[in-house]
Amino acid sequence: EAQVTQNPRYLITVTGKKLTVTCSQNMNHEYMSWYRQDPGLGLRQIYYSMNVEVTDKGDVPEGYKVSRKEKRNFPLILESPSPNQTSLYFCASIRLGGTHGTQYFGPGTRLTVL
Amino acid sequence: KNQVEQSPQSLIILEGKNCTLQCNYTVSPFSNLRWYKQDTGRGPVSLTIMTFSENTKSNGRYTATLDADTKQSSLHITASQLSDSASYICVVSDQTGANNLFFGTGTRLTVIP
């Protein structure tokens, strides 16, 4: 079954404690992306990756890092989380080339930074 | 500025009734428009995707229309069910690459018995 998985699904942490949210897809998609979703603001792109070792900033990259060492994994790293990073995070992947295919979203990670 | 605006922000309808959600966009050059359904606490799931040459596409009880001239799209839900309660998100791509996706803030639909 084609899917995007994220872990953890829920996380409560404290300011400044480094954390990583993992994302993995089994569809061999080139393109992966991280979004945060906040009430009234919709989905906003944090970082995206067009392929292995190729990453780029989205609309709201401050305070986040990503890496793409393998095609299937695209972890989101918060080196020093702050309360304004409390949000619902989604990872997504899409196959590039031809007409644009469907973007598959993960189930989401709800992060609370105290 | 590339934007996607959805209306209404929220909607409550009785089970069995039809409803229509709107999406207006200013994204240019236009590539495609997608509608997603997002259940509370879950990731968005694709309903339809339409390119410039398509003006209607159906997925079961969901029918999306696209008017590329007026830059408007609508999602029509027929014979609503309680399970249709969700947020519906309109996403527009431009032609510059897969990374250029512009998201609407969604319409929150509640179907009541």
Side-chain angles (χ1 to χ4, degrees), chain B:
Chain B
K1 181 181 176 184
N2 289 317
Q3 284 186 312
V4 178
E5 294 184 353
Q6 293 186 241
S7 62
Q9 226 175 16
S10 63
L11 183 62
I12 301 174
I13 62 172
L14 290 173
E15 185 179 11
K17 298 295 186 183
N18 304 335
C19 68
T20 300
L21 314 180
Q22 298 290 343
C23 174
N24 298 337
Y25 62 93
T26 60
V27 177
S28 182
F30 174 83
S31 177
N32 60 71
L33 184 148
R34 315 156 197 245
W35 283 94
Y36 287 88
K37 177 186 179 187
Q38 183 180 19
D39 293 313
T40 301
R42 306 188 72 167
V45 174
S46 179
L47 293 175
T48 63
I49 178 169
M50 291 182 291
T51 58
F52 185 89
S53 58
E54 298 172 296
N55 55 22
T56 187
K57 186 163 279 190
S58 292
N59 178 356
R61 293 179 297 102
Y62 301 101
T63 299
T65 64
L66 173 65
D67 185 334
D69 291 330
T70 62
K71 298 188 176 182
Q72 295 180 324
S73 176
S74 64
L75 180 69
H76 186 74
I77 304 174
T78 304
S80 61
Q81 299 177 359
L82 298 179
S83 59
D84 292 332
S85 295
S87 288
Y88 292 84
I89 303 172
C90 176
V91 183
V92 181
S93 298
D94 66 16
Q95 292 182 8
T96 59
N99 52 299
N100 283 350
L101 299 173
F102 301 91
F103 288 79
T105 54
T107 293
R108 177 69 203 174
L109 174 66
T110 303
V111 181
I112 58 176

Side-chain angles (χ1 to χ4, degrees), chain A residues 9-37:
Chain A
R9 293 291 314 281
Y10 304 91
L11 180 60
I12 300 175
T13 189
V14 295
T15 298
K17 186 176 181 181
K18 180 180 178 180
L19 66 93
T20 299
V21 183
T22 64
C23 173
S24 183
Q25 50 98 0
N26 64 0
M27 296 166 280
N28 203 36
H29 286 167
E30 297 88 354
Y31 178 87
M32 298 184 73
S33 181
W34 275 103
Y35 299 91
R36 61 178 290 174
Q37 187 175 39

